[in-house]
Amino acid sequence: MTEELMTESSPDAIIANHVALLSKTMLFNDEFEIESEIYKENERIIFGQKIANILVAGEDLRIIIRIHYTDQLGDYILHNYSASKVVTSQKIDDYFLECCNLLAGRLKQSFYENDFNVGISIPVKTKGFDDLFFAVTSNEDVTFEWHWDLTSGKESHVHFSLFIELLSDDKIKTMNFNHDTSDDVEFF
């Protein structure tokens, strides 16, 4: 799969494109579509009452993957795209945290396939309100912010944001990401 979501080919854009494609193919039974080209510019608004976050970091880079969601969205997704019979707020949080974990794990594997060593953190849930205080400040030389939306009908709209800090992009420029996610993914 060599699908591209943007024309920009900077190292941060290549990483953002890869993570966006992984989010589309790995999560929600591949039934969601990326609404439009992923983008950098974004109005500073809160995209959900909760945010699932995970850090992927190595010697030359740090990446924060974030999924913005509400309990209402989680209830809809778990009832329609999983085998869950009873949906609680805790199950919804666990589901989105596990989504972050899956994306970070696959991204770590992608970096490993390119001889690039990174580690991943434990996923963490924050409130959307916290975003006002802990937003990453963009530095056009080192820090980049990307956004995209996955949709499946009017009821289900999931916003993703990605913060990338490239401390050295020489090695990243030579990376070749494989977007194939044909391995089975199972939630526990």
Side-chain angles (χ1 to χ4, degrees):
M1 177 180 186
T2 59
E3 186 177 355
E4 296 298 322
L5 301 173
M6 68 180 90
T7 56
E8 191 174 335
S9 63
S10 63
D12 64 293
I14 292 166
I15 293 169
N17 185 70
H18 181 59
V19 176
L21 286 171
L22 289 176
S23 71
K24 177 194 176 305
T25 56
M26 289 183 63
L27 306 178
F28 320 121
N29 296 331
D30 198 19
E31 294 180 21
F32 281 55
E33 293 296 325
I34 295 177
E35 191 171 76
S36 62
E37 187 173 294
I38 65 175
Y39 52 96
K40 281 186 172 184
E41 295 300 318
N42 189 51
E43 295 178 14
R44 288 279 180 199
I45 59 173
I46 300 170
F47 286 103
Q49 69 187 30
K50 300 176 182 180
I51 304 171
N53 306 266
I54 196 161
L55 174 68
V56 178
E59 186 177 309
D60 298 323
L61 61 81
R62 285 187 283 271
I63 299 169
I64 302 171
I65 301 170
R66 298 170 32 151
I67 304 174
H68 306 255
Y69 66 98
T70 63
D71 281 345
Q72 181 181 5
L73 172 66
D75 186 65
Y76 175 82
I77 289 173
L78 287 175
H79 275 108
N80 290 293
Y81 300 100
S82 77
S84 289
K85 302 284 187 239
V86 177
V87 177
T88 64
S89 184
Q90 183 62 51
K91 268 192 178 180
I92 291 167
D93 293 343
D94 290 345
Y95 178 79
F96 284 103
L97 291 171
E98 186 60 23
C99 286
C100 276
N101 212 19
L102 287 169
L103 287 173
R106 189 56 62 103
L107 184 58
K108 179 180 178 175
Q109 179 183 347
S110 296
F111 280 120
Y112 177 78
E113 290 168 355
N114 284 279
D115 298 321
F116 202 88
N117 190 24
V118 297
I120 59 176
S121 72
I122 295 172
V124 176
K125 179 193 80 164
T126 59
K127 294 178 182 174
F129 188 73
D130 297 337
D131 198 33
L132 294 172
F133 301 104
F134 300 111
V136 177
T137 305
S138 183
N139 172 343
E140 292 182 15
D141 295 333
V142 182
T143 308
F144 308 91
E145 179 178 343
W146 289 92
H147 298 268
W148 67 95
D149 300 293
L150 292 182
T151 60
S152 176
K154 288 186 176 183
E155 289 97 30
S156 50
H157 175 92
V158 185
H159 183 80
F160 289 78
S161 57
L162 187 68
F163 296 95
I164 303 170
E165 184 177 17
L166 297 177
L167 305 173
S168 168
D169 63 1
D170 294 336
K171 194 173 181 182
I172 295 167
K173 287 179 183 176
T174 63
M175 296 180 94
N176 183 21
F177 288 122
N178 176 8
H179 303 297
D180 181 22
T181 58
S182 57
D183 300 341
D184 288 336
V185 176
E186 237 182 88
F187 283 95
F188 296 100

